[in-house]
Structures are given as C-alpha cells and as structure tokens.
Amino acid sequence: MYQVKGGTMPDRAVTMTWLLVICVCVMAGATFAGEDDEEAVVYGFGRPATAEEIAAWDIDVRPDGKGLPAGSGTPAEGAAIYVAQCAACHGAQGEGGLNDRLVVHSADEPFPLASDVNAGQHRTIGNYWPYATTVFDYIRRSMPFTAPGTLTANEVYSLTAHLLHLNHVIPEDAEMNAQTLPKVVMPAHGKFRLDDRQDFKEVH
Amino acid sequence: MAQDDAKNNDKTSGEKQRNVTRRAALVGMAGAAGTVLARGADGQEVQVSSGSRPQVPPDPTKVIGRLASEFGERSPFERLERVTSFSRSSSETPLQNLHGTITPAALHFERHHAGVPSIDPDKHKLIIHGMVSQPTTFSVSDLKRLPAASRICFIECSGNLFRDAPEQTTAQLIAGMTSQSEWTGVMLSTLLREVGADPGASWLLAEGADAAVLTRSIPKAFWDEAMVVYAQNGEAVRPENGYPIRFLNPGCEGNTSVKWLRRIEVSDQPFMTREETSKYTEPVKGGVSRQFSLVMDARSIITYPSYPNTVEKGWIEVQGIAWSGRGKIAAAEVSTDDGKTWQRAALQDPILPKAHVRFRHMFKWDGKDTVIMSRAIDETGYIQPTRAAFMQARGPGSGPYHQNPITGWRLKAGGDVVYRVEEWA
C-alpha cells in the first residue's frame, strides 16, 4: 500500500520512524474519516413512504390554500351543522360556553392590545385569527372535540363559512371552497410580527 | 369562569379559576392524608389506612428486609404529586419538593390539548415528506438503529405563570410547568440527511398523533439542536410526555416539542396553524402580536423556603432553580431585602445550556418580616426582569405567554412563608 521509493535503503531507525509516521497517519485518517462518515452517511433505515400513506395524513392547509381539498359550503349550510356539532361547547352563536368564544361581540371589536389588561381574553376568529385557512385546518383536524376528524370536507367548508359570517368577515351568501377561502382577508391580517427579541440586554 | 377552555387551560390570569382548590391546598401540605400502599417484609403490598403513617418495624436491623423486585417503588413515606388543572388538560411539577435538576418522569408536567393518546409502539410510524428527495416512513425501531444522542434540557410551557396567585400558593402552582429530563433519540439533522431534505427548505411542520393532531411550524434556526426522542431519563418516554416518540426543541416553548410525533413535513414557509396564530402568540406594544417567539427567556424561582414552609430565625439555605432558553445560566442572584440588594448565589454543577441549574445561598434571617426573591442572568447578559419592568416593556395585557418576572416569598415574623403577592395591572 504505502511505499518509499528511490534513494538508498534507510537504516533501521529511519524505517521505524517512517512506520510510525505511516501508522499515525493511517490512524488519524481512519478517525477523521469515521467522524466525517457519520456526518455524511445515509444509513437507509426506514422505507419509502407511499403516496397513499402521505395523503392520508397530509391534511395541513397553508395560508396560500395549498392543502385545501375539493368541496364547498355556505354559511347557511354551516349553521345547521354548527347547532349539532359545536353549539354545546361554543354557544348558540359562538359566544362561548364550556369552551372558547369564537365570535366577536361586534364587527368593530378591536385586536387585543397589550395596553389592555384583558387583552389575552379577547381572541376570537373575527378579531385575532390572521388567516381564514387556519379555521378550516383546525376544524378538520381537531373538531368536534369528542369526535375529531369525522367531518366531511363539505361540512368543514360550511362550518368555516358560518363562523366567518358570524364574525362579519364574509357575506351570508358567500361560498367557501379551495379557491375562495384563501382569498378571504381577515381583520387581524398583518397584525402579527415575527419574534423580534434581538437585544437580549432588554426586557421584552 | 365559564370561558374555561377545557382544551386550552394554560396558566393565565383569566383561566386560573382552577386551582386554588382544596386539592391543591392538600397537596401543598406534605404528607397529606390518604390511603397508601406499602410493602411488608415479604414483599406483599399492605394497605395503610387513611391518615396514619405506614407501619414499619421499629428497628430495621432486626428484621430481614423485603426481597428483590422487578420494578422499584418509592417509599410509602414519599407522596410527591403533580397538581392537575381543573380541566385535567395539564398538571404541574412539585418544584418545591425536588432536589438537583432532573425531574422524575412521573412528575414531569403535562399539557395536552385533547388528552393522552394510547399508542402501540410497534404500529406507530413517523413519516417525513415534503421538500425531501426520499419521503420516508420510520418505525420506532428504525429510529433506534440510527446514531443516538442524549441531552439534558428543560421543557417549559410558555404559559408557565400563575399571574394572580394569592399568598397561599406553592412554587408548583406559580411555575410548575417546567421540568427537566435526559432525553435520548436521534438528531433531527440525521433524519433530514436520511430523507435528503432540500437545502432550500426553511420551515418544517411537526404533527402529533393525539386527538388534537397538534401541529407546529418550526423555523430552520432551531433544526441543528432539535431531536426526535424515544427515551426520557433512561426509559421509554412516558405516555403523557409523548410515547413512543416526541419532537424535542431545546430552549423553546414546550408545545413546539410536539408529542406523539407522527409526521414531519419539510417546507419553505410556515403553515400558520391554530397553535401559532390564535394561541401561543402574545400582544406587544405597537398594536401587534409577537409570533414564533419560541425561545424561553431566562427565569428562576426559589423553591426553599417557599409556601407552605415555616422557618426559624438564623441561618437558612435559600435554594432554587434558574434556567434560560438562550444558553447557559451565568449567574443566579438572591435578594433577601425585597429587591433592594442582590447577592450572587452559588451555582451547583452541572451548569448545562438550556437546562435547569440549582442555586443556593446562605442567609441569616433576623426574624423580621422580609421578602426573598431570585433572578436569573444568562450567558447573553439578559437579566430576569421585575414584574414592574416586565409590564412596562410588554404592557399589562400581554399575556398569557412568555411571562418571566421575578417572583418572591414573604417571610413573616413568626416564620410563616407565603407567596409575595403583586398586582398585575
């Protein structure tokens, strides 16, 4: 593998020195190569995910509408489903009960301000949720509380439409579907900013 | 309050209706009455009636002890418990009764949004897909074959403050939604290399297999330290902490360490899920809310003396824990004169980044009414603020997340120790 060519044959001491150098190099090389490998090797554990199993779980919906399924619903259709599926916890008109208030008290209920001692309590779809797609995503994955994940796409579109209407965001006859829902501009849109805690010497 | 959100009972001023219950008060008293199980000398369990102490031989050197067992139990004299919230969607660690920095797994705080799921580990799978060259499904045993890593760090709920607590409140109820474990699993970077993550990816979605199918978007800045873990303090992760696998996002608000992890979708933008818009955001000055404020700022709490302890005049060893999501604790300071002067406390090894560190400070109490308090200083130079400074910076309505003001305990003449009550607004 490693040869020293040319010149006179080295004496025994020089040979030993070379051997030592070679040994150190090989050992060091092996060590570094091993560490490098762990950073670079792909072990190949696991198996390729099938399109079907991804589709079964890939239910998230982004603000740009990516992930919204086919289907549609209107506020009127949603109102009936709401009574059956949601009112027990959230109140007949989304005013809250056992669980969160979903609907603003009035169309001009403000975005919660840090200067208002009760700000944290005023978080409804109409004054705090920045994206309409989040309403669809959350209902579809988590609601109703005692039977999550059981609503059809049409039912979720309908409930989303009903809640947006109760919050004065869309008119009574607006149909929500994969094209219209991402276009809804929420009252709280633009009211959020990414973590800006940069100067750690400051209280924030 | 009727508004109590059974699925979202974070520790906020409005949602704190829970907890100064009789149960909490009972747990606050060490050695509360109740039925306990003990083991006799033959290893058989014996029941000890309510209100009495477990029966043991008067001289343990004169009786052969019980034999080896398959699974250890704590002494029947020890009864540490979590305190559960009214809706039982959370429970808190008894900080005032722990030693060192590791939280026993059975006492790790809980927060779940739709209960603790029951999962068969042999059927559980983790799918990683999205901006990757090879979408991959991992079984739990696949994950265990990959290079392992362990890390000791805290996990803290970002709603970890009982804002309007009365005097009769334990450290557990003030700040018991922080706990520390040694977590073992796979570095996220290892998994992303396995699936060939696109270098242009900048966000990922972590999704749980609970009934909330909880999701959080995690920005790339946190990927280097993130892990997918299957073990907690040497054994499998507890069900309420994410069995069989959870995401681990050191230093960050607990809900981003998504439990019962089933899916990671690699992306180039955040998904704006309910938990990162409607929840886990906090109003700040300027009429806006702060979003993706994942890192937990430095904080500390004195755990002894605290309510319901009583103390005597003379030397007292003040003890507590300090932690920061930005790195190592540089110092913990203690004031024994209601914040007028501060002394450096001794920090007990190990001092690990993004981990609870125990501090202690000897104090000679003159027996007069005073307030003791602690503040954490981390390696960035950040100093845990007073409540007044915190409110000045954030606004009184900035709850309910990322609130880390200094808290204290009043030593009353006579020796009673109570929570130092402060007005919030």
Side-chain angles (χ1 to χ4, degrees), chain B residues 45-357:
Chain B
E45 279 186 344
V46 295
Q47 189 163 306
V48 179
S49 65
S50 176
S52 65
R53 286 180 71 74
Q55 298 300 303
V56 294
D59 182 350
T61 69
K62 299 296 183 285
V63 185
I64 301 283
R66 68 173 170 77
L67 303 178
S69 57
E70 288 73 27
F71 192 84
E73 302 286 346
R74 60 186 171 181
S75 160
F77 292 95
E78 300 299 325
R79 303 225 40 228
L80 294 189
E81 288 183 341
R82 297 186 287 221
V83 173
T84 59
S85 64
F86 179 74
S87 62
R88 292 210 169 229
S89 63
S90 64
S91 68
E92 296 173 70
T93 295
L95 298 177
Q96 69 278 4
N97 300 119
L98 299 184
H99 306 278
T101 60
I102 298 291
T103 309
L107 296 173
H108 194 290
F109 87 88
E110 298 170 85
R111 175 74 181 98
H112 21 80
H113 296 71
V116 178
S118 300
I119 295 175
D120 180 339
D122 293 340
K123 292 179 180 157
H124 189 76
K125 58 186 183 179
L126 169 65
I127 298 179
I128 306 182
H129 70 111
M131 293 174 65
V132 304
S133 60
Q134 179 54 67
T136 304
T137 300
F138 296 95
S139 66
V140 176
S141 55
D142 289 333
L143 296 174
K144 289 177 179 171
R145 294 170 73 190
L146 287 162
S150 291
R151 171 154 196 181
I152 294 171
C153 63
F154 72 82
I155 293 181
E156 181 182 19
C157 177
S158 67
N160 187 25
L161 178 70
F162 186 173
R163 225 157 77 153
D164 301 310
E167 284 194 336
Q168 288 70 34
T169 307
T170 60
Q172 180 168 20
L173 288 174
I174 298 295
M177 294 183 84
T178 186
S179 306
Q180 178 147 300
S181 306
E182 183 203 58
W183 299 99
T184 300
V186 187
M187 297 304 295
L188 175 67
S189 55
T190 301
L191 292 168
L192 293 180
R193 195 168 60 246
E194 288 290 310
V195 300
D198 187 325
S202 50
W203 291 81
L204 62 77
L205 185 76
E207 181 179 87
D210 59 332
V213 202
L214 186 135
T215 41
R216 282 303 311 258
S217 305
I218 314 289
K220 193 171 194 170
F222 300 100
W223 294 2
D224 283 349
E225 290 188 52
M227 301 172 68
V228 173
V229 298
Y230 41 76
Q232 176 182 9
N233 299 341
E235 63 179 351
V237 172
R238 291 265 165 158
E240 58 267 43
N241 293 131
Y243 184 82
I245 54 170
R246 79 178 298 170
F247 200 78
L248 181 70
N249 200 11
C252 292
E253 55 186 47
N255 70 87
T256 66
S257 288
V258 175
K259 298 187 282 190
W260 316 293
L261 184 71
R262 76 169 193 178
R263 189 168 71 95
I264 292 174
E265 182 171 354
V266 181
S267 178
D268 58 1
Q269 55 180 282
F271 292 76
M272 300 298 180
T273 71
R274 180 250 202 183
E275 311 305 336
E276 58 211 23
T277 53
S278 156
K279 308 291 179 185
Y280 301 112
T281 54
E282 56 274 4
V284 293
K285 287 185 172 169
V288 297
S289 263
R290 189 187 280 152
Q291 191 179 26
F292 296 111
S293 46
L294 304 189
V295 180
M296 300 305 296
D297 283 317
R299 191 168 173 193
S300 66
I301 186 167
I302 290 172
T303 55
Y304 182 86
S306 65
Y307 177 79
N309 299 136
T310 56
V311 290
E312 292 176 8
K313 189 173 157 180
W315 286 108
I316 297 170
E317 186 183 52
V318 176
Q319 276 210 20
I321 51 171
W323 65 99
S324 169
R326 296 196 194 279
K328 287 184 179 175
I329 285 295
E333 295 186 335
V334 170
S335 172
T336 55
D337 56 8
D338 203 3
K340 293 186 201 61
T341 61
W342 294 87
Q343 290 84 42
R344 286 278 158 119
L347 298 181
Q348 188 170 307
D349 282 332
I351 303 167
L352 300 171
K354 307 182 182 181
H356 289 169
V357 175

Side-chain angles (χ1 to χ4, degrees), chain A residues 25 39 50 53 63 79 82 92 104 150 154 159:
Chain A
C25 286
E39 290 297 310
T50 66
E53 66 184 338
Y82 181 90
V104 289
T150 57
N154 283 350
L159 284 171

Side-chain angles (χ1 to χ4, degrees), chain A residues 61-73 132-133 136 157 175-185:
Chain A
V61 177
R62 295 197 317 204
D64 61 5
K66 181 174 176 291
L68 281 170
S72 68
T133 48
F136 185 98
Y157 276 119
E175 181 188 290
M176 290 293 107
N177 55 45
Q179 284 70 50
T180 57
L181 184 61
K183 294 195 178 76
V184 173
V185 179

